[in-house]
Amino acid sequence: MRAFAAWGAVPLALVAAATPAIAADRTDWVDAKTGHRIHLVSDAPGNYALYFNYNAYTPNGDTMIFQTADGISRLDMTSWKVTPLLKRPGLKLLFAGHKTRTAYFSERPAGDPTGPVTIYAADIDSGAVRLIAKVPKGSQIDTINADETLLAGQVASRDMPLQPGAGPSVGGLTPYAANWPDGRPMTYADAKEYRLNQRLDARIPMEIYTVDVKTGARRTVLKATDWLNHLQFSPTDPTLLMYCHEGPWHKVDRIWTIRTDGTQMTKVHARTMNMEIAGHEFWSPDGKTIWYDLQRPRGESFWLAGYEVGTGKRTQYYLERNQWSVHYNLSADQKTFLGDGADSEMVARAPDAKWLYLFKPQTIPDVAGIRAENAASLIASGRMDQEKIVDFAKQDYKLEPNARFSPDGKWLIFRANIEGKTAIYAAEVAKAAS
């Protein structure tokens, strides 16, 4: 990806020394606190950069897709030009294909947010649309497998809105609210936990199923009264599916894998401490490792944990309180993580975590080179060296940044409201020249 040809009329040296305020007519600037370049990708109404673990890129990495109020747009990752792919208001963009240049999306009947779901595929170059399948009312399609032969989704036997009276959420904007028994309002974070627990305790029958992309045939993978959610196919193994038991994380052993034929159901992490939590899981690009946020106990000790699906080997990188982030992600070369920070009301209660971070993992060496005889069977540990990339002081974290690396690892793409309205941005990993 080439660098931008110009960065506005203001010299970079002056930009770096300026206040954090951003001029309304600028689309490119240098963050005054971090020294990294930021580019405004899109502030179109209804813009939605996909959730952090959904694939947004074409197989060769030249195009990123995202949603707006008008439909689907595409971003040229070389020129940064945004063009419409499909003008179709009301659709829900799902993800890009791993193998083909395809944008998958769903639609529901107008005015019926829980109605029957129809799945479509749009060619990213031509915009041509084809029907994939119709799935049951209330369904949510979450993922597509590595060879693009199967979609996977989950459906509940009845609907139960997380926030009574609220409309459908897009991009994590559910307006959670609740009161303590004495009538005091809960914080947003506490209200979210309260509503999640109500849904978990309802024990609504659910199932995970797959859909054949060519035939539309549907097949059940798992039935349960657990709250099934967060489905993610392995990026390399077409029959391996990760899913979660949703709910307040300290009440559930959240992370699981299963084969598409319903066999080999495996618990990835079992809690061993009261108030231990694990979640926001995601695959490594090579499909060998599941990474997740681990806290032992909740809000006190923070780790980015990895589980190798083939060997069971575990790795845990320690994070300082201010390093804890809502979501993490991993570069294509698997050498660098990112974290999208958090506000002081969230689980870490961190006083200074409103940053977009770059993390370099550092392993803890054996003292004096003396290696324990059973070291290979123990958890490998380390810590994270950090670099701050974007100042999120003005970010309202009800909108989660859901950051991701560009395919070449040179940019971090994220969604933010740091300028007062929701927009999609790119931040350069390398520091701007002084």
Side-chain angles (χ1 to χ4, degrees), residues 67-80:
Q67 183 175 330
T68 70
D70 289 335
I72 304 173
S73 291
R74 54 194 164 200
L75 169 67
D76 186 308
M77 299 299 292
T78 301
S79 69
W80 297 96

Side-chain angles (χ1 to χ4, degrees), residues 55-65 96-98 100-102 124 407:
N55 180 43
Y57 300 115
T58 49
N60 68 351
D62 68 345
T63 303
M64 185 185 91
I65 57 173
H98 300 291
T100 67
R101 297 176 65 83
T102 304
I124 287 176

Side-chain angles (χ1 to χ4, degrees), residues 48 50 54-59 62-68 71-75 83-88 91-107 118-133 141 143-144 148 151 213:
Y48 169 49
L50 289 168
Y54 291 176
N55 180 43
Y57 300 115
T58 49
D62 68 345
T63 303
M64 185 185 91
I65 57 173
F66 62 94
Q67 183 175 330
T68 70
I72 304 173
S73 291
R74 54 194 164 200
L75 169 67
T83 56
L85 165 60
L86 185 64
K87 290 189 176 182
R88 199 154 166 164
L91 61 72
K92 178 184 178 182
L93 177 60
L94 298 174
F95 32 71
H98 300 291
K99 187 178 179 181
T100 67
R101 297 176 65 83
T102 304
Y104 293 86
F105 67 95
S106 64
E107 288 181 327
T118 306
I119 311 301
Y120 298 93
D123 183 276
I124 287 176
D125 298 308
S126 70
V129 174
R130 70 181 190 276
L131 173 68
I132 299 294
I141 296 294
T143 187
I144 191 166
E148 287 186 63
L151 299 166
V213 170

